[in-house]
Amino acid sequence: MTEKITSNISTKKKRTYTQAEIQANKFIYDHFDSNYVRQMNNALFKIVDEAYFRPVYIGFDEMPERNNPAHPIILASNHSGMAFPWDAMVFGCGILKRFDYDEDKIFRAIVAPGLSGIPAMHPFFMKGSWKMAGGVDANFLNFETMMQYPKGHLLIYPEGVPGIGKGFNRKYQLQRFATSFIRMSLKYKTDILPYSTVNAEYVVPYVYSFDFVNRQFNKIGVPFMALGVLTLALVFPWAFYLAFPVKMHFVKGTRISPYKWTDKEYEDMTEAEIGAIRDRVKEQMQKDLDAAVEKYGHSPFQVKELIKVMWQKRAYFPYNLPFFWPLMFHEFERQWIKERKYETKEPIEIGTGWGTFIRLIWRNPITLAYFIPIIGWFILIAYGNRKWKQLDELGKPLQ
């Protein structure tokens, strides 16, 4: 068994793709739709950000320049445990807005294939949202292809699924890193720019992960099982997307040049040497994360400010509360597809206030399923699979 695993890892390391293979794969560049993200920001995330998460971007007044003009810098951050990836969504939408959707200054994210392949792992079953927002499925060919991307940078969460499944008992403790981003940095001699995500560990707090429990669920194909009071709430589908109103901080860390730590070319390096560099990068990122948490992590909710902001943005009420997000997201998708605003590029407008509640439910009756215990999951999964099949047959508007 050990020999087989070693062989597979070695094959991955030495596997190189021809320029013809990379060229044929460059269709992934076209998945990104800046109009889609702009519309999401204007219709959805202005509410979610301004009157709920209140994100702060520290050190991102300017995006860094590439050290190697031919290849993107690789941004890397810690994951938040036991939560839907709101931290990544808030950071991504915020950075794109901050730099006015300029593709030379923003980034494309390397994401777990499960995010784009499973309907429920999209925000409220919105097909194609990860890819149209710039996400690229994580595999070696896609990573190699994106290293040729002529614009902007890349983003990766090197902890992967274990980072999400680490539980509140391991908050802010970086889990074992994948080596893919280290390999790309070494091969293409491009820098890694870490940043720390602070307070997002409290998006779903006090939900724990235990190795023994996770091993039992691994046997049936489930990567981990969260345990806590909030676990019981998952009988309601809306709770899967639940997020507490944390004030997220995204703190730029120490820029790293791993290719300067060795006098060997990437192709000549052993797995042990690559692993040692991976561990050194992880150590530096942990130091940065600890410092950021010490400075910005003492009051994750900042309740007084939250109440003040919610009052100032009371025109958004009640849609700034997670209980009402299914209505907003489904209405966004309805206008994008059924009203063909992906084509006309007309602004998507979602009315807020209690007066719009009945109208949005009438337009999007499927949202009632989010509040039906257990059975609601079956309804939504069937809905998601059917909708995806129909959209696949149509091709566009969604990837």
Side-chain angles (χ1 to χ4, degrees):
M1 178 64 73
T2 303
E3 292 179 358
K4 183 176 181 181
I5 292 174
T6 303
S7 175
N8 285 341
I9 292 175
S10 178
T11 300
K12 285 183 179 179
K13 172 184 178 293
K14 294 180 180 178
R15 173 71 167 100
T16 58
Y17 295 96
T18 66
Q19 281 303 311
E21 289 175 306
I22 292 174
Q23 186 65 35
N25 195 47
K26 286 185 178 180
F27 67 88
I28 62 176
Y29 294 174
D30 300 328
H31 286 162
F32 175 63
D33 187 336
S34 62
N35 179 51
Y36 181 79
V37 185
R38 187 187 299 271
Q39 295 268 32
M40 284 191 72
N41 265 329
N42 292 340
L44 299 176
F45 276 86
K46 72 173 182 180
I47 298 173
V48 172
D49 278 9
E50 293 176 14
Y52 202 72
F53 290 126
R54 303 152 287 148
V56 179
Y57 302 85
I58 299 164
F60 287 99
D61 293 331
E62 296 291 338
M63 286 299 281
E65 296 291 333
R66 294 180 173 191
N67 65 287
N68 185 341
H71 305 292
I73 290 171
I74 302 171
L75 281 73
S77 184
N78 56 298
H79 249 321
S80 298
M82 297 305 184
F84 195 74
W86 288 106
D87 54 343
M89 294 167 65
V90 170
F91 179 75
C93 285
I95 288 294
L96 266 67
K97 183 178 180 180
R98 196 176 187 87
F99 294 102
D100 198 26
Y101 310 93
D102 183 345
E103 292 187 55
D104 290 324
K105 295 182 179 180
I106 58 178
F107 59 83
R108 299 283 297 275
I110 304 294
V111 301
L115 285 181
S116 61
I118 301 173
M121 290 306 297
H122 286 67
F124 303 98
F125 291 80
M126 291 171 56
K127 178 173 170 40
S129 53
W130 292 116
K131 289 186 177 180
M132 286 194 293
V136 178
D137 286 345
N139 61 53
F140 274 94
L141 176 57
N142 283 351
F143 212 151
E144 287 268 9
T145 303
M146 291 308 299
M147 291 306 297
Q148 315 293 327
Y149 194 53
K151 303 175 182 179
H153 307 303
L154 297 183
L155 167 65
I156 188 171
Y157 288 87
E159 294 174 280
V161 173
I164 300 174
K166 60 190 170 188
F168 199 70
N169 44 316
R170 300 186 183 94
K171 64 181 182 294
Y172 299 127
Q173 297 176 24
L174 293 176
Q175 303 302 290
R176 181 178 175 84
F177 278 4
T179 59
S180 56
F181 77 121
I182 302 295
R183 297 173 191 276
M184 294 298 101
S185 174
L186 293 169
K187 182 174 181 177
Y188 292 100
K189 293 182 170 56
T190 189
D191 288 351
I192 294 171
L193 179 65
Y195 71 91
S196 299
T197 301
V198 181
N199 294 332
E201 295 283 9
Y202 289 82
V203 164
V204 181
Y206 308 110
V207 177
Y208 300 89
S209 176
F210 301 97
D211 293 337
F212 171 77
V213 175
N214 291 339
R215 283 195 295 271
Q216 308 315 308
F217 279 89
N218 290 165
K219 296 175 182 177
I220 58 173
V222 178
F224 59 85
M225 174 51 62
L227 298 177
V229 175
L230 293 173
T231 305
L232 300 176
L234 291 176
V235 298
F236 294 95
W238 77 272
F240 182 70
Y241 305 97
L242 174 65
F244 281 57
V246 296
K247 186 176 178 65
M248 294 187 188
H249 285 67
F250 303 103
V251 186
K252 189 170 74 171
T254 305
R255 187 162 171 165
I256 301 172
S257 305
Y259 52 89
K260 293 181 179 179
W261 298 349
T262 177
D263 56 3
K264 289 186 176 182
E265 293 298 317
Y266 163 71
E267 290 77 8
D268 299 324
M269 296 182 69
T270 66
E271 290 297 313
E273 290 169 332
I274 293 172
I277 289 178
R278 182 263 321 276
D279 293 343
R280 186 173 169 185
V281 169
K282 178 174 175 285
E283 181 181 358
Q284 180 59 59
M285 287 181 62
Q286 185 68 66
K287 288 180 180 178
D288 286 348
L289 177 58
D290 291 343
V293 171
E294 177 62 28
K295 189 169 185 179
Y296 302 107
H298 292 293
S299 180
F301 300 105
Q302 298 196 20
V303 176
K304 288 184 179 179
E305 182 201 75
L306 176 65
I307 294 171
K308 180 180 179 181
V309 168
M310 282 190 166
W311 175 251
Q312 292 172 342
K313 304 290 183 179
R314 58 189 177 276
Y316 296 154
F317 186 82
Y319 296 102
N320 58 324
L321 303 178
F323 195 76
F324 294 87
W325 291 354
L327 279 172
M328 279 205 311
F329 279 78
H330 277 268
E331 175 62 13
F332 177 91
E333 187 179 47
R334 188 194 68 79
Q335 292 189 36
W336 178 262
I337 298 173
K338 292 190 176 181
E339 296 186 9
R340 303 182 69 85
K341 290 188 176 179
Y342 70 90
E343 188 173 60
T344 66
K345 293 184 169 53
E346 294 177 33
I348 293 176
E349 297 179 354
I350 302 173
T352 57
W354 287 104
T356 64
F357 182 68
I358 299 300
R359 182 170 71 249
L360 292 183
I361 290 180
W362 179 262
R363 289 176 175 177
N364 305 279
I366 188 62
T367 55
L368 293 173
Y370 285 91
F371 306 98
I372 301 174
I374 302 176
I375 295 174
W377 275 113
F378 292 100
I379 295 172
L380 285 167
I381 290 170
Y383 155 82
N385 290 334
R386 183 177 68 254
K387 181 183 71 173
W388 281 38
K389 183 179 180 180
Q390 292 171 346
L391 291 173
D392 285 339
E393 291 171 353
L394 291 173
K396 283 284 187 178
L398 299 178
Q399 304 291 348

